[in-house]
């Protein structure tokens, strides 16, 4: 099966908190779940948009002998505008760096390192993935509007800013340079779901992800590809 680059829809977004050494935090209290990775697809849950920008910058032309001789390329600074139909409060607060207290309140603290994987479909029957092994998530706005004869909803909106992976062996190109972004297609030669998940999520073991709030025995695991 050949692989394509055009995509359709959002199948899911998976998130995982990593520590200062680049390792996945597999702890429900310190991280996002017991496995370390959370995939939100429950009742009323899910991502509606995930728009990635700044994957590359246009080159700056350099001249010599009255001719364009080469382009200089700056460092990519990808970021993702994400909207969720709904997001569990505690997970949303943790991802954004808010500290939960015993009263149910949350105040902004230190931003955690957050890894993210976005899954969509290409038009050839494959899964397409956009991966970020390190970054920070902010919640820049909260909008409210009155209900009238129509309901006014305000879905959670976040901005994810990609950073260079902490582990210097992750997302390295053939020149030995680390990049903040990597993409996969399940139809590409040599694709491995286990290798992808391990690289994106700081040593994650396994080749699938369990949906949040469900168990593997209920058929809730998602095999990437």
């Amino acid at each position: 099966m050949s692989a394509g680059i055009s995509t359709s829809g959002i199948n899911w977004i998976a998130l995982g908190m990593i520590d200062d050494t680049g390792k996945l935090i597999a702890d429900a209290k310190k991280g996002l779940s017991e496995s370390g990775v959370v995939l939100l697809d429950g009742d009323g849950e899910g991502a509606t948009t995930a728009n990635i920008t700044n994957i590359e910058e246009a080159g700056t032309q350099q001249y010599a002998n009255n001719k364009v001789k080469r382009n200089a390329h700056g460092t990519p600074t990808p970021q993702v505008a994400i909207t969720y139909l709904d997001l569990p409060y505690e997970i949303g607060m943790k991802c954004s760096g808010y500290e939960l207290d015993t009263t149910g309140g949350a105040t902004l603290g230190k931003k955690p390192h957050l890894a993210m994987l976005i899954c969509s479909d290409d038009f050839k029957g494959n899964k397409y993935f956009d991966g970020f092994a390190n970054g920070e998530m902010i919640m820049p706005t909260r909008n409210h509007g009155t209900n009238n004869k129509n309901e006014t909803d305000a879905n959670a909106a976040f901005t994810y800013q990609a950073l260079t992976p902490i582990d210097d062996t992750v997302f390295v190109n053939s020149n030995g340079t680390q990049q903040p972004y990597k993409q996969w297609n399940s139809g590409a030669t040599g694709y491995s779901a286990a290798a992808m998940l391990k690289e994106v999520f700081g040593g994650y073991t396994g080749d699938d992800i369990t949906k949040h709030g469900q168990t593997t025995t209920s058929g809730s695991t998602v095999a990437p590809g």
Side-chain angles (χ1 to χ4, degrees), residues 1-4 122 126-129 183-192:
M1 182 185 296
S2 59
D122 75 7
N126 305 298
K127 297 291 186 258
Y128 205 105
F129 302 93
Q183 53 189 299
W184 290 263
N185 188 301
S186 65
T189 302
Y191 167 78
S192 166

Side-chain angles (χ1 to χ4, degrees), residues 32-138:
L32 299 181
S33 71
E34 290 184 4
S35 71
V37 179
V38 64
L39 190 162
L40 300 164
D41 194 28
D43 184 25
E45 296 176 348
T48 62
T49 59
N51 297 319
I52 308 170
T53 55
N54 301 333
I55 293 175
E56 294 184 64
E57 299 293 339
T60 301
Q61 294 176 325
Q62 296 185 334
Y63 291 78
N65 295 343
N66 294 330
K67 303 172 186 177
V68 178
K69 292 289 187 176
R70 66 185 181 196
N71 281 331
H73 295 275
T75 302
T77 56
Q79 65 178 33
V80 190
I82 304 168
T83 305
Y84 274 98
L85 185 63
D86 200 358
L87 190 67
Y89 179 70
E90 290 190 3
I91 290 177
M93 294 299 101
K94 283 184 177 181
C95 288
S96 304
Y98 279 77
E99 299 172 351
L100 295 159
D101 62 28
T102 56
T103 70
T107 52
L108 185 60
K110 180 182 178 182
K111 290 289 182 183
H113 296 289
L114 195 68
M116 179 171 67
L117 187 66
I118 303 167
C119 176
S120 57
D121 291 310
D122 75 7
F123 287 90
K124 299 180 182 294
N126 305 298
K127 297 291 186 258
Y128 205 105
F129 302 93
D130 297 283
F132 306 87
N134 184 24
E136 292 183 355
M137 185 175 282
I138 65 171

